[in-house]
Amino acid sequence: YAGQTQGDDGFTVTSDGFTIENLGIKNSPGNGIVVTGAEDVTFRKLKVWWDAGSVTSNGAYAVYPVKSTRVIIEDSEVIGAADAGIYVGQCNQAIVRRNKVHGNVAGIELENTSDAEAYENEAWDNTAGILIFTLPNLEKKDGKRAKVHDNDVHDNNRANFAEKGSIVASVPPGTGFLVLASDDNEIANNKVT
């Protein structure tokens, strides 16, 4: 995508029943894969990365389902997103499992999402490992019942390179987990070092 002249995102999807698997996405000028308002979405065995390393000019999100229902993100690797490597926003019923996220500002972010489960992921060398947020001024007003377990969250000490003024720009390096205004969550059996 280094020579892309139209639009910013690598993929933009709005259809139900979408599956993307066994694919690498490199150097998208914006987000890697954006799926909006869809049901039954699967991201599997992907690698999304930027050759520039961890810099603000990279896309904000690598794997980015938003306002979607029944989302699965599994067995993927994300490197260098300038906001969140795996971002699940304003979704219902999401599973994030067995992914490797490193070199991002946030490794995994569940934002204004209900009934998500994140497990057996490895998050390292990010500014923050896993974020569970409920933020104001979004269409979906709440986030609740995240179950986050059996993840390996380590060495998340990278300097924050998010765009100034964004919410994640205020997340300090050295953050393993950050839960903000989200209710009824269960965080258990994680290794955080």
Side-chain angles (χ1 to χ4, degrees):
Y1 291 93
Q4 182 173 334
T5 58
Q6 301 272 329
D8 290 329
D9 300 329
F11 285 83
T12 302
V13 179
T14 57
S15 62
D16 294 341
F18 175 75
T19 296
I20 185 167
E21 62 184 326
N22 298 313
L23 186 68
I25 297 171
K26 180 170 102 165
N27 296 331
S28 62
N31 305 303
I33 308 163
V34 181
V35 177
T36 305
E39 295 183 357
D40 303 309
V41 178
T42 302
F43 303 84
R44 179 182 298 123
K45 295 183 181 176
L46 305 176
K47 182 174 181 181
V48 184
W49 77 104
W50 289 265
D51 285 336
S54 301
V55 297
T56 306
S57 59
N58 289 349
Y61 307 105
V63 177
Y64 185 9
V66 63
K67 299 180 185 176
S68 296
T69 302
R70 292 183 302 280
V71 173
I72 297 174
I73 303 168
E74 62 187 6
D75 303 313
S76 296
E77 182 177 17
V78 176
I79 309 160
D83 193 305
I86 295 176
Y87 172 92
V88 181
Q90 301 184 69
C91 292
N92 291 298
Q93 301 173 349
I95 295 173
V96 179
R97 63 185 170 201
R98 300 186 307 268
N99 300 288
K100 296 183 181 304
V101 290
H102 53 102
N104 308 287
V105 174
I108 297 170
E109 183 173 345
L110 306 175
E111 182 179 285
N112 292 56
T113 291
S114 297
D115 301 309
E117 185 172 10
Y119 62 94
E120 297 177 7
N121 299 289
E122 184 179 10
W124 78 96
D125 192 30
N126 307 288
T127 302
I130 299 177
L131 308 179
I132 305 168
F133 280 178
T134 297
L135 299 179
N137 306 319
L138 295 174
E139 189 175 311
K140 186 175 185 307
K141 302 297 182 193
D142 63 352
K144 54 192 169 191
R145 295 185 301 273
K147 185 174 181 180
V148 182
H149 62 95
D150 299 296
N151 297 287
D152 186 3
V153 180
H154 63 93
D155 302 298
N156 290 289
N157 299 306
R158 177 170 290 280
N160 192 320
F161 60 98
E163 184 176 335
K164 290 186 192 263
S166 68
I167 293 292
V168 297
S170 62
V171 175
T175 302
F177 277 90
L178 180 58
V179 180
L180 175 67
S182 182
D183 295 325
D184 302 319
N185 302 298
E186 181 180 327
I187 300 172
N189 301 320
N190 298 286
K191 181 180 178 185
V192 183
T193 57

